Amino acid sequence: MRLNKGLFQSYKTYPEKIVQFGEGNFLRGFVDWQVQKMNERADFNGSVVVVQPLENGMVQMLNNQDCLYTLYLQGMKKGEAVREHEVINSISRGLNPYKEYEQYLKIAEQSEIRFVISNTTEAGIAFDENDKLEDKPQNTYPAKLTALLYHRFKFFNGNKEKGLIIIPCELIDRNGEKLKEMVYKYVDLWNLESEFINWLDEANIFCCSLVDRIVPGYPRDNISKITEELGYEDNLIDVGEQFYLWIIEGPKEIEREFPVGKAGLNIKFVDDMTPYRTRKVRILNGAHTSLVPVAYLCGLDTVKDSVEDNLVGQYLREIIFDEIIPTLDLPEDELKEFANDVLERFRNPFIKHYLMSIALNSMSKFETRDLPSLLEYLDRKGTLPNKLCFSLAALIEFYKGKRGDEDIALKDGQDVLGFYESLWSKYDGNDNSLRDIVINVLGYKAIWKKDLNEIPGLTDKVSDYLIDIENLGIKNAVRKVMNK
């Protein structure tokens, strides 16, 4: 039997308060789960009406199951591997504006609607000059949103109490500002009246947000076993990790209507999300990028194995706590708590995260994720961070394309791969030749945007570490740098 409200005896209905653009794995495993927690713990008393942002989507599948689905959360929780599941009952209905456009617009007429949340992928917040207000529907998400807001403005005669709080979850920097910019471009394109612009400005709030949870989605590999475990069929099973974080940049009074604190959820309303974005990029993403070449060359293949390895795991912890955290501006206890959460996530036994899947475009990743920490450490401490510099040397070794006798399947732009192939083809086995490679890599302005050889001491330090890797072997070289 398929999951439906007849089968799920705890089924409840709530007033629709949230319009959600997107029905995919992430929003169902992140936002809709949190709405359920607010209903259970904080008397939010609200549900989500889901709008399908693309012509081909899953709202029909949602409606076929009375918008119920099972969410599995699995990962490390307070030091233990935890796997748990529950039926999510926070979505009221799904709408396909490509077939139900008039019903879509009627959402704007509902007085209790207060929030708009979206995840239409990074490409979703875009502008198409061919979109028209009369289209049913418009092509882009910002155009659909503008049409919805305009309909609400007209229906409620510009009532300032009927504005909406708009929180995009797309993974682009300053997503709220970019969405607002697109909306205003459509206002201009469609020559909408100045009274509507005033209503947009005064009655609506566009928030920037930062989301964090890994949601792999439908468990195709073991669906038969899960179906047997559940005792019912569910075409919309979703799987996510235990950890989650939502940073929302906006007025703190929003929390009176969106009671995340009362529900005990890991959501922060902040005046400026920039430090939190920097924290995520430097600690989570930076740890990944600095780990990959060292761990892979040491013979490890997954993030979990790397963190649990006595040598490499300690190396990673020292990079994070000794060299990255000192470059960040949030309170130290917050940074350490986040770093410990990151390390716990890396140990998730339910996710096999291969190092080589992270290794794609490692050069540009080091430039955006690790080089800022290296430079900030030098600026604050007056000395270069040993282990970040070692990771840079290991990255150069990694692009040699060999792990012992095994070829490394390097994945990067052809210009980068050709650059390294040319450099390493000239290596003649002596230390001066290695130093020449380092000088060329550090001078590769197409990646670094500058000549890193101009940073005092960096050329010598990276050269020394690359020489150690070649002459001592990677594991002995790691031990040596950790003893400094």
Side-chain angles (χ1 to χ4, degrees):
M1 181 181 292
R2 183 185 297 167
L3 177 62
N4 59 60
K5 63 184 178 183
L7 185 66
F8 182 60
Q9 296 181 356
S10 300
Y11 182 84
K12 293 182 180 179
T13 59
Y14 303 93
E16 291 177 343
K17 293 184 178 179
I18 299 172
V19 184
Q20 177 176 294
F21 288 84
E23 75 280 30
N25 298 325
F26 178 78
L27 287 178
R28 290 189 294 113
F30 185 76
V31 171
D32 302 329
W33 169 78
Q34 293 184 72
V35 172
Q36 174 143 318
K37 295 307 164 193
M38 288 193 293
N39 283 334
E40 292 171 352
R41 304 170 184 170
D43 196 28
F44 176 61
N45 191 36
S47 67
V48 178
V49 53
V50 169
V51 176
Q52 183 174 297
L54 301 174
E55 190 164 4
N56 296 313
M58 296 165 44
V59 297
Q60 189 57 53
M61 289 176 65
L62 265 174
N63 290 329
N64 288 344
Q65 292 190 179
D66 297 321
C67 295
L68 299 170
Y69 60 95
T70 310
L71 175 65
Y72 275 83
L73 297 179
Q74 49 195 36
M76 303 301 293
K77 192 174 183 180
K78 296 180 180 178
E80 295 185 8
V82 176
R83 180 175 181 267
E84 54 195 355
H85 69 272
E86 64 180 313
V87 174
I88 304 301
N89 178 200
S90 59
I91 298 176
S92 58
R93 59 190 168 123
L95 281 175
N96 180 355
Y98 292 86
K99 295 180 178 179
E100 306 165 289
Y101 188 72
E102 298 306 322
Q103 285 181 255
Y104 163 68
L105 281 187
K106 279 190 173 296
I107 297 172
E109 301 176 10
Q110 296 175 218
S111 182
E112 288 183 300
I113 290 291
R114 182 60 170 144
F115 297 92
V116 176
I117 292 172
S118 64
N119 186 22
T120 56
T121 78
E122 292 89 319
I125 299 181
F127 178 77
D128 182 349
E129 63 182 11
N130 296 310
D131 270 326
K132 298 179 178 62
L133 181 60
E134 310 81 58
D135 291 343
K136 299 182 178 182
Q138 298 76 23
N139 178 37
T140 69
Y141 161 52
K144 293 184 183 77
L145 176 60
T146 307
L148 188 76
L149 290 168
Y150 187 57
H151 190 82
R152 189 171 182 84
F153 162 77
K154 291 195 298 182
F155 184 82
F156 288 107
N157 297 312
N159 187 336
K160 297 285 175 52
E161 293 183 359
K162 299 302 179 184
L164 301 178
I165 298 167
I166 300 154
I167 313 174
C169 296
E170 285 82 357
L171 294 176
I172 57 175
D173 193 22
R174 311 303 301 170
N175 47 20
E177 292 175 1
K178 290 181 180 174
L179 177 56
K180 184 176 182 179
E181 177 189 340
M182 296 299 107
V183 167
Y184 278 72
K185 287 182 77 169
Y186 282 112
V187 170
D188 183 57
L189 179 68
W190 298 340
N191 294 313
L192 301 180
E193 57 264 41
S194 60
E195 290 82 4
F196 176 56
I197 297 174
N198 292 335
W199 181 81
L200 276 178
D201 287 337
E202 297 171 14
N204 299 270
I205 301 172
F206 286 79
C207 301
C208 293
S209 86
L210 173 68
V211 298
D212 193 0
R213 172 174 259 175
I214 297 170
V215 183
Y218 189 76
R220 300 182 187 281
D221 294 344
N222 58 343
I223 187 60
S224 298
K225 182 179 179 181
I226 288 176
T227 301
E228 183 179 350
E229 176 185 6
L230 294 173
Y232 56 79
E233 292 182 9
D234 183 350
N235 292 327
L236 292 164
I237 292 173
D238 204 2
V239 177
E241 67 171 333
Q242 289 284 349
F243 178 88
Y244 69 99
L245 173 67
W246 198 359
I247 304 294
I248 301 174
E249 183 181 294
K252 289 188 171 53
E253 54 264 28
I254 293 175
E255 194 171 346
R256 289 201 296 269
E257 301 180 68
F258 205 66
V260 296
K262 189 176 178 182
L265 295 170
N266 193 23
I267 304 179
K268 293 179 184 289
F269 286 93
V270 299
D271 296 327
D272 181 7
M273 61 175 276
T274 305
Y276 294 93
R277 178 176 175 79
T278 302
R279 179 183 72 175
K280 178 179 182 287
V281 171
R282 300 272 190 94
I283 294 179
L284 175 64
N285 304 121
H288 266 156
T289 299
S290 60
L291 171 70
V292 167
V294 176
Y296 193 78
L297 291 172
C298 282
L300 300 162
D301 292 311
T302 69
V303 172
K304 179 178 182 292
D305 290 343
S306 303
V307 175
E308 294 182 343
D309 182 83
N310 289 336
L311 178 64
V312 175
Q314 185 59 32
Y315 173 85
L316 179 63
R317 281 185 282 275
E318 289 183 12
I319 276 190
I320 293 173
F321 288 95
D322 298 344
E323 297 186 353
I324 297 176
I325 284 179
T327 70
L328 299 171
D329 293 325
L330 288 169
E332 187 176 1
D333 58 342
E334 277 191 39
L335 294 169
K336 288 182 175 179
E337 181 182 4
F338 181 77
N340 284 318
D341 285 339
V342 164
L343 290 170
E344 192 168 72
R345 295 170 74 186
F346 286 0
R347 292 176 53 233
N348 190 339
F350 302 102
I351 297 177
K352 204 158 191 177
H353 202 170
Y354 286 99
L355 296 171
M356 286 306 296
S357 71
I358 308 169
L360 175 69
N361 299 328
S362 285
M363 284 285 285
S364 59
K365 285 178 178 175
F366 195 97
E367 189 269 331
T368 57
R369 300 173 174 185
D370 289 306
L371 183 60
S373 294
L374 187 155
L375 297 175
E376 187 65 25
Y377 187 96
L378 175 61
D379 185 58
R380 295 188 184 197
K381 303 284 188 180
T383 186
L384 288 164
N386 289 325
K387 296 171 193 67
L388 282 169
C389 291
F390 183 88
S391 285
L392 179 53
L395 185 62
I396 296 171
E397 177 74 19
F398 179 80
Y399 273 85
K400 185 180 182 181
K402 284 286 187 179
R403 180 168 73 170
D405 296 328
E406 171 192 346
D407 289 334
I408 299 175
L410 298 170
K411 293 182 180 179
D412 211 317
Q414 204 50 52
D415 52 343
V416 172
L417 296 179
F419 171 74
Y420 269 108
E421 184 178 1
S422 174
L423 285 181
W424 278 108
S425 69
K426 299 170 186 172
Y427 174 49
D428 60 9
N430 69 59
D431 294 353
N432 287 333
S433 181
L434 290 173
R435 183 178 174 83
D436 287 341
I437 291 173
V438 170
I439 290 171
N440 277 280
V441 171
L442 297 188
Y444 193 26
K445 293 182 181 179
I447 290 289
W448 311 121
K449 319 290 192 303
K450 62 179 77 174
D451 185 349
L452 299 187
N453 291 291
E454 296 175 1
I455 298 171
L458 185 62
T459 306
D460 289 341
K461 189 174 280 286
V462 175
S463 296
D464 289 344
Y465 288 148
L466 184 59
I467 289 167
D468 283 343
I469 292 170
E470 278 285 321
N471 294 339
L472 304 176
I474 184 68
K475 290 185 179 180
N476 286 330
V478 173
R479 292 186 184 100
K480 182 177 176 181
V481 73
M482 288 177 65
N483 288 330
K484 285 198 172 185

